[in-house]
Amino acid sequence: MSAIYRILLVEDEEHLAEVIRLNLELEGYKVIYARDGVEALKMFKEERFNLILLDIMIPRLTGIDVCERIRLENEDIPILFLSAKNTGEDRVRGLRAGAHDYLTKPFNLEELLLKVSILIKMGLKTTGEISSFNNYQLGDQFIDFDTYTITNQEGQIQLTKKEALLLKLLIEKKNQVVSREEILEKVWGYDVFPSTRTIDNFILAFRKYFKENPRDPRYFHSVRGVGYKFTDG
Amino acid sequence: MSAIYRILLVEDEEHLAEVIRLNLELEGYKVIYARDGVEALKMFKEERFNLILLDIMIPRLTGIDVCERIRLENEDIPILFLSAKNTGEDRVRGLRAGAHDYLTKPFNLEELLLKVSILIKMGLKTTGEISSFNNYQLGDQFIDFDTYTITNQEGQIQLTKKEALLLKLLIEKKNQVVSREEILEKVWGYDVFPSTRTIDNFILAFRKYFKENPRDPRYFHSVRGVGYKFTDG
DNA sequence: GCCTATCTGACAGCATTATGACAAAACAGG
DNA sequence: CCTGTTTTGTCATAATGCTGTCAGATAGGC
């Protein structure tokens, strides 16, 4: 089951954009299109992508600005610059801003497709670590991800599938803030967008299971505007 | 605790090789040198590297061959081709063989160093040796952008999202003045214009967190009429 | 069709962020 | 140096918008 990879294409020349989109779609990617910098940032905030193809000369904000802005929030997503400028200077500026690579127009289509594929593959590895522990000791409680149960002095609690997934994700990222977007992507999948309240409900459940005081949680911390963070004790 | 990264340089022109090695060593890398394809493969088998810099036109086996063979055994190690040939064809051939990137001679030295650093960082992530690079040591305080915390002797401070963004921006532009406009654009967004006092409030908070004397700040300097500048120490 | 799991929408409460007032400092020009 | 003007530091308070919470709706498996 290979997922569909999502690419954000930021390019103001409509004709060129159409060519690129067509070719990427032929390769099986889903292409989302933004025609200027502001639109690109908006889309980046709202949706998840596996790769950003970013022209440098675009209306409202340069590609460089867009890239720097994105890098403040997300270090991992691969960014590939497209540009007509091709001096060492320009390429260096792009890379400095946080891009992974730089392709000059006019470009060889096959080269573009190859780079896209390489970068997406890389992105998957950097974000998709699959660690495989299947149980976890939390204080005097014992979480078993094989049987989906929490065991404590008072007995057992059956976790549901989604509960188990989310709990495991948070524990894997112990001590790191996991953004709501990342949670949605990893637990719910790419094209599903349940209301943001849904996540809270699960956290609520966890706090109940582990008998936390929500005003001053020990394990499941909310980080306003971002997501949640699990810490152990 | 930053490890020394090892680079395998495969290049038959001794003079060029020497220039590259010198520059990489200045950046703190350890460079191991091979002058032909067979030697390169042998070294690859015997030692461990973080990156391979591979010229295409080398004696005994081409760079392409070397790359393909390496890829049979190892999918992850970053490979960067160096070559005088610069047609789309050639680059495509290199990427197809399994390289991550392709740089044409004569190249901009800074570009080479940037690409090297990008590829090594990626390699570390894919092999799971480092989860991310999101922290900063400031005196005896430790800023962690994964957890959004500052840790010092007295305990931890939770940063908010905006605080973290602004702090990161200033630290990234260490020793440079960041104008208020740039701050507004990058941290608040292109279409939001909070009163100018707002930024000061955040700086105020930082100075409190890092126990600065506002009359004579060590870290967060105000540059009258322009913006703020972060310096370390 | 029933039962459980999951989702939605409403609302309260509150943390974060923004504002406005004023003091203090920096600067420019005489 | 002095003075008027502008910018920044500081704080109390207001506005905003996110999260906690829950009841009821919906979906999906059997």
Side-chain angles (χ1 to χ4, degrees):
Chain A
M1 62 134 203
S2 81
I4 291 170
Y5 301 126
R6 299 162 55 84
I7 297 176
L8 177 60
L9 171 62
V10 190
E11 169 64 65
D12 63 322
E13 291 173 47
E14 305 246 349
H15 179 65
L16 177 58
E18 208 41 50
V19 173
I20 295 177
R21 143 181 266 156
L22 205 72
N23 278 280
L24 289 173
E25 284 180 351
L26 276 176
E27 297 282 314
Y29 300 110
K30 170 123 178 121
V31 177
I32 291 87
Y33 175 51
R35 61 169 50 62
D36 65 55
V38 172
E39 206 176 314
L41 283 176
K42 187 160 161 255
M43 291 184 145
F44 171 74
K45 243 181 266 166
E46 287 169 1
E47 302 184 44
R48 320 265 82 234
F49 301 97
N50 297 97
L51 171 68
I52 300 179
L53 278 178
L54 190 51
D55 191 354
I56 292 201
M57 307 263 283
I58 45 175
R60 312 205 274 168
L61 301 179
T62 67
I64 301 275
D65 286 331
V66 172
C67 181
E68 284 182 343
R69 179 82 169 67
I70 287 175
R71 276 288 174 260
L72 278 180
E73 297 193 34
N74 184 320
E75 303 239 320
D76 291 325
I77 183 166
I79 295 179
L80 173 53
F81 269 126
L82 303 175
S83 169
K85 293 195 184 178
N86 188 19
T87 68
E89 275 293 299
D90 290 309
R91 292 198 301 274
V92 164
R93 193 134 33 91
L95 296 177
R96 264 199 195 300
H100 284 80
D101 207 343
Y102 191 108
L103 201 52
T104 53
K105 299 194 270 188
F107 45 79
N108 180 315
L109 203 55
E110 197 177 1
E111 188 177 359
L112 172 66
L113 295 178
L114 271 168
K115 292 210 165 192
V116 164
S117 139
I118 289 171
L119 285 172
I120 285 185
K121 237 179 259 167
M122 277 184 162
L124 291 179
K125 287 192 187 168
T126 60
T127 55
E129 63 198 86
I130 333 113
S131 77
S132 54
F133 60 87
N134 43 22
N135 53 58
Y136 191 86
Q137 178 96 37
L138 183 56
D140 55 358
Q141 325 222 20
F142 187 78
I143 307 164
D144 185 331
F145 291 108
D146 287 332
T147 58
Y148 292 6
T149 52
I150 301 172
T151 309
N152 56 26
Q153 313 93 322
E154 289 155 37
Q156 283 202 340
I157 298 164
Q158 257 298 332
L159 294 174
T160 67
K161 193 172 163 191
K162 284 237 158 68
E163 284 177 336
L165 269 175
L166 178 52
L167 187 53
K168 198 169 176 189
L169 174 62
L170 289 172
I171 291 179
E172 266 172 15
K173 300 248 170 183
K174 176 155 72 161
N175 294 324
Q176 294 178 44
V177 179
V178 187
S179 72
R180 293 177 110 92
E181 290 81 47
E182 187 176 349
I183 292 175
L184 287 179
E185 178 186 323
K186 298 233 170 108
V187 178
W188 274 265
Y190 267 104
D191 322 307
V192 189
F193 297 96
S195 102
T196 172
R197 292 294 97 244
T198 299
I199 296 176
D200 304 55
N201 285 322
F202 281 81
I203 300 292
L204 194 63
F206 294 158
R207 288 180 174 156
K208 216 169 278 167
Y209 297 158
F210 297 111
K211 305 181 192 58
E212 283 199 315
N213 173 10
R215 307 282 161 217
D216 179 28
R218 280 176 64 197
Y219 306 125
F220 300 95
H221 305 268
S222 154
V223 178
R224 237 150 224 278
V226 189
Y228 290 95
K229 177 174 75 170
F230 171 81
T231 60
D232 191 342
Chain B
M1 55 140 193
S2 80
I4 291 171
Y5 302 124
R6 299 164 54 82
I7 298 176
L8 176 59
L9 171 61
V10 190
E11 168 66 65
D12 63 322
E13 292 172 46
E14 305 247 350
H15 179 63
L16 177 57
E18 209 40 51
V19 173
I20 295 177
R21 142 181 269 155
L22 205 71
N23 278 281
L24 289 173
E25 286 181 348
L26 275 177
E27 297 282 313
Y29 301 109
K30 169 111 178 132
V31 178
I32 291 87
Y33 176 51
R35 60 171 49 64
D36 67 55
V38 173
E39 204 176 317
L41 281 176
K42 182 161 165 261
M43 289 183 146
F44 172 73
K45 247 177 253 165
E46 288 170 1
E47 301 185 47
R48 236 183 113 270
F49 302 98
N50 296 97
L51 170 69
I52 301 178
L53 278 178
L54 191 48
D55 192 355
I56 293 202
M57 309 265 284
I58 46 176
R60 310 204 277 169
L61 296 179
T62 68
I64 301 276
D65 290 330
V66 172
C67 181
E68 284 176 344
R69 293 220 195 159
I70 287 176
R71 278 288 174 259
L72 286 179
E73 296 186 29
N74 183 322
E75 303 236 316
D76 290 327
I77 183 166
I79 297 179
L80 173 53
F81 269 126
L82 304 175
S83 168
K85 292 196 184 177
N86 187 18
T87 67
E89 274 296 296
D90 290 308
R91 292 199 301 274
V92 164
R93 192 133 34 89
L95 296 177
R96 264 199 196 300
H100 284 80
D101 207 342
Y102 191 108
L103 202 52
T104 54
K105 297 194 273 191
F107 46 78
N108 179 315
L109 203 56
E110 197 177 0
E111 189 178 0
L112 172 67
L113 295 177
L114 271 169
K115 292 209 165 193
V116 164
S117 137
I118 290 171
L119 286 172
I120 285 186
K121 236 180 256 171
M122 276 188 159
L124 292 177
K125 285 191 189 173
T126 61
T127 56
E129 286 171 50
I130 202 170
S131 54
S132 51
F133 219 72
N134 288 342
N135 47 55
Y136 192 87
Q137 179 96 37
L138 184 55
D140 54 359
Q141 325 223 20
F142 187 77
I143 307 165
D144 186 332
F145 291 108
D146 285 332
T147 58
Y148 287 60
T149 53
I150 300 171
T151 308
N152 56 26
Q153 315 93 322
E154 289 155 38
Q156 282 203 339
I157 299 163
Q158 257 292 342
L159 294 174
T160 67
K161 185 184 179 182
K162 285 239 157 68
E163 285 176 339
L165 275 175
L166 178 52
L167 188 53
K168 204 167 170 190
L169 175 61
L170 290 172
I171 289 180
E172 265 169 20
K173 303 244 170 184
K174 177 155 71 162
N175 296 324
Q176 299 173 47
V177 180
V178 186
S179 73
R180 291 176 111 92
E181 290 81 50
E182 186 176 351
I183 291 175
L184 287 179
E185 179 189 313
K186 298 251 167 79
V187 177
W188 272 264
Y190 45 88
D191 53 357
V192 187
F193 297 96
S195 100
T196 173
R197 290 296 97 242
T198 299
I199 295 177
D200 305 53
N201 282 323
F202 280 80
I203 299 293
L204 192 63
F206 293 159
R207 288 180 174 156
K208 215 169 276 166
Y209 296 158
F210 296 111
K211 304 180 191 59
E212 282 199 317
N213 174 9
R215 310 284 162 212
D216 178 27
R218 282 175 63 198
Y219 306 125
F220 300 96
H221 305 270
S222 154
V223 178
R224 205 185 159 75
V226 189
Y228 290 94
K229 178 174 73 168
F230 169 82
T231 60
D232 190 343

